[in-house]
Amino acid sequence: MLQDTELKHLRRCVDLAAKALEVGDEPFGSVLVSGDGTVLAEDHNHVASGDGTRHPEFELARWAGMNMAPEERARATVYTSGEHCPMCSAAHAWVGLGRIVYVASSKQLVGWLAELGVPPGPVRPLPVQEVAPGVIVEGPVAEFEDEIRELHRRFHAASA
């Protein structure tokens, strides 16, 4: 069971995902929180720029690698609107970040997109632990699933 402060971090992820949608990008948002609960960094998707690697989870892993000591990274948590893709899972593990808490799983997202007729992406959507087996992962978090699903529906309806 997640604590109220953790739900607030996930709420921020949903808000960042909505912000991404507002600027024409895919609705994903993430927040990096230190072991003592301090929000260190946040971001949303920037793949509309033409760079498909501009996922918020990847950007936060890169930021952590440049700005945090290894022991600080290990105690940190990444809260995110959607489970990390394989690229972001690998980046998370390579920099030694701690736990991941996500709203919607990759499996859920794949199902939602299939219902919308969206073709699969270029990379197989693997669960985080298949890519980074040592990472502690929690999710999905039902409180925000419907909002995230609706943001993806809106994004793909607008781009159809």
Side-chain angles (χ1 to χ4, degrees):
M1 181 117 185
L2 296 177
Q3 299 174 0
D4 287 346
T5 55
E6 294 180 298
L7 293 173
K8 287 178 185 172
H9 296 315
L10 288 174
R11 168 84 262 152
R12 181 63 182 149
C13 294
V14 173
D15 293 345
L16 288 164
K19 180 179 177 183
L21 181 64
E22 288 171 18
V23 297
D25 221 316
E26 294 180 48
F28 292 94
S30 302
V31 176
L32 176 63
V33 178
S34 70
D36 70 6
T38 303
V39 174
L40 300 172
E42 61 180 37
D43 203 1
H44 63 76
N45 239 25
H46 295 281
V47 299
S49 69
D51 181 349
T53 67
R54 298 287 313 274
H55 297 186
E57 305 85 359
F58 193 83
E59 299 289 340
L60 293 180
R62 182 175 285 139
W63 185 92
M66 294 186 309
N67 295 284
M68 299 172 73
E71 59 277 359
E72 293 172 318
R73 295 193 300 258
R75 289 191 306 268
T77 299
V78 174
Y79 295 89
T80 189
S81 60
E83 184 175 13
H84 290 29
C85 74
M87 173 187 70
C88 295
S89 297
H92 188 102
W94 280 116
V95 300
L97 281 166
R99 172 172 157 249
I100 296 170
V101 180
Y102 62 80
V103 172
S105 70
S106 296
K107 183 177 180 180
Q108 288 174 302
L109 181 59
V110 166
W112 298 339
L113 296 181
E115 288 173 7
L116 295 170
V118 177
V123 175
R124 184 178 308 172
L126 300 172
V128 169
Q129 292 180 315
E130 283 192 38
V131 178
V135 175
I136 296 167
V137 181
E138 294 183 49
V141 177
E143 287 94 328
F144 302 105
E145 287 175 13
D146 290 343
E147 283 183 81
I148 291 298
R149 184 179 187 168
E150 177 59 16
L151 290 172
H152 284 283
R153 187 202 64 72
R154 287 176 42 209
F155 175 78
H156 291 286
S159 58

